[in-house]
Amino acid sequence: ITTVSGNEFLLQSDIDFIILDWFHAIKNAIDRLPKERSCTSRNLEFKLRRSTSIELLNSLDTESKEPKPEHRKSLIFRLNYSASDTNDRNRVKSRLKKFISRRPSLKTLQEKGLIKDQIFGSHLHLVCEHEKSTVPQFVRLCIKAVEKRGLDVDGIYRVSGNLATIQKLRFVVNQEEKLNLDDSQWEDIHVVTGALKMFFRELPEPLFPYCFFEQFVEAIKIQDNTSRIKSIRSLVKKLPRPNYDTMKILFEHLKKIAAKESVNLMSTQSLGIVFGPTLLRPEKETGNMAVHMLYQNQIVELMLSEYSKIFGSEED
């Protein structure tokens, strides 16, 4: 965002709906300004630092026009679209849609041997089946790297790494068999944590399967703490093996992060805020998104604080 005084601000997120919320909040704020100040508010510049999908293009306002020279000084923000006018934008989107519709499916390309099985964006059980394991190797490698050189880092998992480097790591993981996270190009531990969060975020079905979402929400609402823990534990035990094993190793790792809270400033509550929306979400977003987010955070927080009771053996 560039202000009229020349100050520039970068708002960056990997989550589309958060970016759109920011966009609409800023646009609405400008629209509420006095008429003489907001007459060119539609020409705000809002740079979305993320690969733009067709759906995202369609969701943006397509009625922007170039401001007259005499109005340029009254701009509070400027909006930069991908094309100079509506016709060009529609033509570009039309061509993109035609191009995408003609593209062979991922399954076809894999069957022809043109690309290998992907790690990012694949179902958890498929990744585990391919690796003959119940926990993805990439998850293990990331956890090992963070525990080796990131436990004491301020804001670990909260601070974002360089998105371009994270995408590079994502590409390497998808294309190459061997990965060395001790390589100097992955020196920034926030790149490793960013890639791990991206892996879970891009799962077609989250680590907490869709069919379990409402059950976990109902369990976290239970007032009695003992009953709440017992209900959560029962649900966790019912998860598919790859989900359970991956969840157990991840939460064990996050518990080690929280144990270093005095140094890294990451409490169980902070980790709940970071990982709640990443690990569990409803299959279809509704108007209760803010309420769901609160429960998502609370579920992760409880499972961290009561890890031994939830993941321990029956005798524990």
Side-chain angles (χ1 to χ4, degrees):
I1 301 172
T2 304
T3 67
V4 69
S5 60
N7 295 319
E8 294 186 354
F9 302 90
L10 170 64
L11 306 179
Q12 180 173 316
S13 175
D14 298 332
I15 305 175
D16 288 343
F17 73 82
I18 290 180
I19 296 175
L20 288 174
D21 283 346
W22 291 343
F23 171 80
H24 291 304
I26 295 171
K27 183 177 182 299
N28 290 338
I30 292 174
D31 288 342
R32 289 195 298 270
L33 291 173
K35 189 172 182 181
E36 64 272 13
R37 299 187 63 190
S38 62
C39 58
T40 55
S41 64
R42 287 186 175 222
N43 302 294
L44 299 92
E45 180 161 338
F46 193 88
K47 297 180 180 179
L48 300 176
R49 297 300 182 92
R50 181 165 171 76
S51 301
T52 307
S53 64
I54 296 297
E55 292 77 16
L56 191 53
L57 284 171
N58 287 335
S59 69
L60 294 176
D61 182 7
T62 59
E63 299 299 325
S64 65
K65 298 178 181 177
E66 184 65 22
K68 296 180 180 179
E70 61 267 27
H71 290 153
R72 287 183 183 276
K73 290 185 178 180
S74 67
L75 284 176
I76 307 304
F77 305 93
R78 297 189 303 275
L79 185 64
N80 181 33
Y81 289 114
S82 59
S84 59
D85 56 45
T86 303
N87 290 335
D88 285 347
R89 266 197 308 279
N90 290 339
R91 193 155 46 244
V92 169
K93 287 192 287 185
S94 177
R95 289 178 179 176
L96 280 173
K97 288 177 179 178
K98 288 180 180 178
F99 170 73
I100 292 173
S101 66
R102 292 197 302 265
R103 291 181 64 192
S105 66
L106 175 62
K107 182 178 180 180
T108 300
L109 293 173
Q110 290 173 336
E111 289 174 349
K112 292 182 178 180
L114 297 177
I115 60 173
K116 65 186 287 288
D117 292 334
Q118 304 289 289
I119 301 300
F120 281 77
S122 293
H123 285 276
L124 182 64
H125 71 277
L126 294 179
V127 175
C128 292
E129 285 176 9
H130 175 73
E131 297 179 350
K132 294 179 173 58
S133 172
T134 56
V135 179
Q137 181 65 15
F138 177 68
V139 173
R140 293 184 183 274
L141 289 175
C142 287
I143 288 175
K144 182 179 179 181
V146 174
E147 293 184 356
K148 179 180 179 181
R149 50 192 174 94
L151 290 179
D152 296 335
V153 175
D154 184 3
I156 192 70
Y157 283 113
R158 174 171 49 79
V159 176
S160 299
N162 181 275
L163 187 56
T165 309
I166 293 173
Q167 291 287 7
K168 181 180 178 181
L169 177 55
R170 179 184 186 277
F171 177 82
V172 170
V173 172
N174 275 340
Q175 298 300 319
E176 299 179 8
E177 291 293 336
K178 293 184 179 181
L179 175 66
N180 179 18
L181 289 179
D182 290 328
D183 191 290
S184 59
Q185 62 184 323
W186 321 125
E187 181 180 5
D188 181 4
I189 196 62
H190 296 301
V191 167
V192 177
T193 57
L196 181 60
K197 287 187 293 183
M198 182 179 286
F199 169 80
F200 284 112
R201 193 163 51 245
E202 292 191 359
L203 288 173
E205 186 171 34
L207 187 61
F208 289 71
Y210 288 131
C211 60
F212 282 84
F213 179 80
E214 292 297 338
Q215 297 177 64
F216 273 99
V217 169
E218 291 304 314
I220 201 65
K221 291 179 182 178
I222 297 174
Q223 295 298 312
D224 179 69
N225 190 54
T226 301
S227 299
R228 181 165 59 240
I229 294 171
K230 184 177 180 180
S231 181
I232 294 286
R233 173 189 170 92
S234 175
L235 289 171
V236 168
K237 297 295 183 182
K238 295 177 182 177
L239 293 172
R241 183 66 183 275
N243 298 71
Y244 176 84
D245 287 355
T246 302
M247 190 180 296
K248 183 176 182 180
I249 193 174
L250 175 64
F251 276 78
E252 182 181 17
H253 164 65
L254 295 179
K255 187 172 173 60
K256 293 179 183 178
I257 298 289
K260 291 273 192 172
E261 177 188 355
S262 60
V263 181
N264 59 38
L265 306 181
M266 291 301 290
S267 62
T268 55
Q269 183 179 18
S270 300
L271 291 168
I273 293 172
V274 171
F275 279 93
T278 298
L279 300 181
L280 71 158
R281 57 185 181 273
E283 187 168 7
K284 294 182 180 178
E285 294 291 353
T286 65
N288 298 323
M289 186 162 51
V291 176
H292 281 162
M293 188 170 293
L294 175 63
Y295 291 138
Q296 290 162 333
N297 301 349
Q298 290 178 347
I299 291 167
V300 171
E301 184 180 351
L302 176 72
M303 291 177 64
L304 284 174
S305 59
E306 302 293 348
Y307 174 85
S308 59
K309 294 180 181 178
I310 292 173
F311 290 97
S313 63
E314 296 292 343
E315 292 76 21
D316 293 343

